[in-house]
Amino acid sequence: METENIHLNRENLADAMEVVRVLIEKGEISSNNSLYEKYMDRYVKEIVDTMGEQWGFEVVKSENRKKIYFSAAYDNILWGYTNERLRSKLKVKNNEELYCHLFALLCMIAQFFTESLDYDLTYLKVEEWEQYVTDKAKAIEETSSAEEDSDDLEIRFSEAAKYWLELPDIKERAVAHQQTDARVGILIRLARVLQEEQLLKLEDNRHIYLTDKFESLLKNHFGMAGRKEEIIGYIRNIDDMEGINSA
């Protein structure tokens, strides 16, 4: 009982509420902010984490330990993105188009990270990203087991691949005129949305650099617990699956 009183005293509760408020408003708190140290207090952290369990969010520490980030559960209506809200954010019309964007994002992650979540690239060229997505989409279309595997991973990869391959393959004009119905245009639009969320830096519409926030959320977000390695491995090994099935 005494421990509970310590955990829930007025000062600790007020500090926890302020930490959550700022995280919701700004998405992150740096180590040079006094609230960072307050969150590091074991009792304040326990209150914040309990609030997160009840309200569907998590506080994630950066890989370099210099920031904490607000991370909402994917399907949390209050803080996260439902399919409808994701479609609105990405300006897509239906789930098929949304799955295509998510597939492109997973391909980008698979290029940056190994299955053990170690960095494999320093930066990614948009043209290499486009080629990688195209190669994987073609492999999926030629793989008879793609539908079964995609259902297990909760992403309709076969639908995403079909949608992607039907898009016009226009390079320079799509970038110059922001033509979002072309393959590279969709990648640029997706990258800009991620840049707005401070998850990556898009340089001259050609080079992508991931931020510490992206890496931290990828490695620590509870919403992908037990799934990250599986999904990255699936994307990376699609070509091998094609060879096995055609043998």
Side-chain angles (χ1 to χ4, degrees), residues 152-176:
D152 181 57
L153 291 173
E154 300 175 358
I155 300 289
R156 306 282 295 205
F157 286 133
S158 59
E159 292 182 16
K162 183 176 183 295
Y163 186 92
W164 176 265
L165 293 173
E166 290 176 351
L167 292 170
D169 183 15
I170 304 172
K171 302 273 192 304
E172 294 300 323
R173 198 175 75 187
V175 174

Side-chain angles (χ1 to χ4, degrees), residues 94-110:
N94 51 52
N95 277 346
E96 185 182 47
E97 194 174 351
L98 174 62
Y99 293 145
C100 182
H101 281 72
L102 295 178
F103 176 61
L105 172 59
L106 291 173
C107 284
M108 183 187 73
I109 292 172

Side-chain angles (χ1 to χ4, degrees), residues 72-224:
Y74 164 73
D75 58 352
N76 182 285
I77 296 176
L78 182 59
W79 312 117
Y81 287 113
T82 60
N83 276 10
E84 183 177 351
R85 291 178 67 185
L86 271 175
R87 289 201 304 266
S88 175
K89 184 75 173 176
L90 292 167
K91 296 181 173 60
V92 299
K93 303 179 184 67
N94 51 52
N95 277 346
E96 185 182 47
E97 194 174 351
L98 174 62
Y99 293 145
C100 182
H101 281 72
L102 295 178
F103 176 61
L105 172 59
L106 291 173
C107 284
M108 183 187 73
I109 292 172
Q111 287 179 274
F112 269 107
F113 294 96
T114 66
E115 292 174 50
S116 58
L117 300 184
D118 295 321
Y119 260 122
D120 211 21
L121 288 176
T122 304
Y123 68 91
L124 175 65
K125 293 181 179 179
V126 171
E127 62 189 50
E128 293 175 352
W129 182 18
E130 185 274 334
Q131 188 60 55
Y132 188 87
V133 177
T134 299
D135 290 344
K136 296 301 179 181
K138 288 179 178 178
I140 286 175
E141 282 231 312
E142 296 171 6
T143 303
S144 59
S145 63
E147 185 70 27
E148 178 182 349
D149 289 328
S150 65
D151 283 346
D152 181 57
L153 291 173
E154 300 175 358
I155 300 289
R156 306 282 295 205
F157 286 133
S158 59
E159 292 182 16
K162 183 176 183 295
Y163 186 92
W164 176 265
L165 293 173
E166 290 176 351
L167 292 170
D169 183 15
I170 304 172
K171 302 273 192 304
E172 294 300 323
R173 198 175 75 187
V175 174
H177 300 285
Q178 301 182 30
Q179 183 171 336
T180 54
D181 60 344
R183 294 175 187 174
V184 71
I186 278 182
L187 299 185
I188 294 295
R189 179 172 61 188
L190 175 58
R192 286 174 178 169
V193 169
L194 294 173
Q195 185 169 244
E196 288 175 8
E197 300 293 328
Q198 299 179 330
L199 294 171
L200 58 77
K201 294 179 181 178
L202 177 63
E203 191 175 88
D204 298 326
N205 287 335
R206 296 184 182 280
H207 299 93
I208 291 172
Y209 299 83
L210 296 188
T211 63
D212 174 72
K213 181 177 182 179
F214 192 109
E215 182 182 4
S216 300
L217 294 181
L218 175 68
K219 292 184 176 181
N220 301 303
H221 190 351
F222 65 80
M224 292 185 71

Side-chain angles (χ1 to χ4, degrees), residues 8-31:
L8 295 175
N9 68 42
R10 184 184 297 271
E11 182 179 356
N12 289 338
L13 184 58
D15 288 344
M17 294 292 289
E18 182 66 6
V19 167
V20 172
R21 183 188 69 79
V22 173
L23 282 173
I24 291 172
E25 288 183 357
K26 299 184 178 180
E28 63 182 48
I29 294 176
S30 301
S31 58

